Amino acid sequence: MNKQRRTTLNQINDLIANVYEDLESCKDQEEEYRDNMPENLQGSERYEKADDAVNMLEEALESLQQAMDNIQEVIES
């Protein structure tokens, strides 16, 4: 791989890392919202939606991390 493509891939990895941080912040906020619901709302539809959102955001974070790992592996090969 030439230097120009490596540079481009590093820039892409940096962009993904920024998106990862923003997404992680959203996930943390949703998790805090869910965890701070009053006891009488736990198990409610609102709670379940927040819990589903946290789970989906965690999956998205895992996918982004995998993408960054894959790109880094290509850069280093």
Side-chain angles (χ1 to χ4, degrees):
M1 176 166 301
N2 69 22
K3 183 178 178 180
Q4 182 180 4
R5 284 192 292 273
R6 276 195 178 92
T7 299
T8 300
L9 288 173
N10 276 315
Q11 291 170 343
I12 291 169
N13 239 9
D14 290 344
L15 290 171
I16 295 171
N18 289 334
V19 170
Y20 184 97
E21 289 175 17
D22 292 343
L23 189 59
E24 188 173 40
S25 176
C26 288
K27 191 255 325 165
D28 290 345
Q29 291 172 21
E30 188 68 16
E31 197 168 39
E32 185 176 337
Y33 166 75
R34 179 201 64 195
D35 293 345
N36 288 321
M37 274 192 192
E39 197 171 307
N40 64 329
L41 289 179
Q42 293 178 6
S44 69
E45 183 177 345
R46 220 162 98 186
Y47 181 90
E48 293 301 321
K49 284 183 179 183
D51 192 51
D52 288 344
V54 168
N55 291 331
M56 286 185 277
L57 290 170
E58 286 174 344
E59 288 180 24
L61 287 167
E62 289 172 12
S63 295
L64 288 174
Q65 184 62 57
Q66 184 65 48
M68 289 187 295
D69 292 346
N70 289 345
I71 292 169
Q72 191 62 42
E73 190 173 323
V74 168
I75 291 169
E76 293 172 357
S77 63

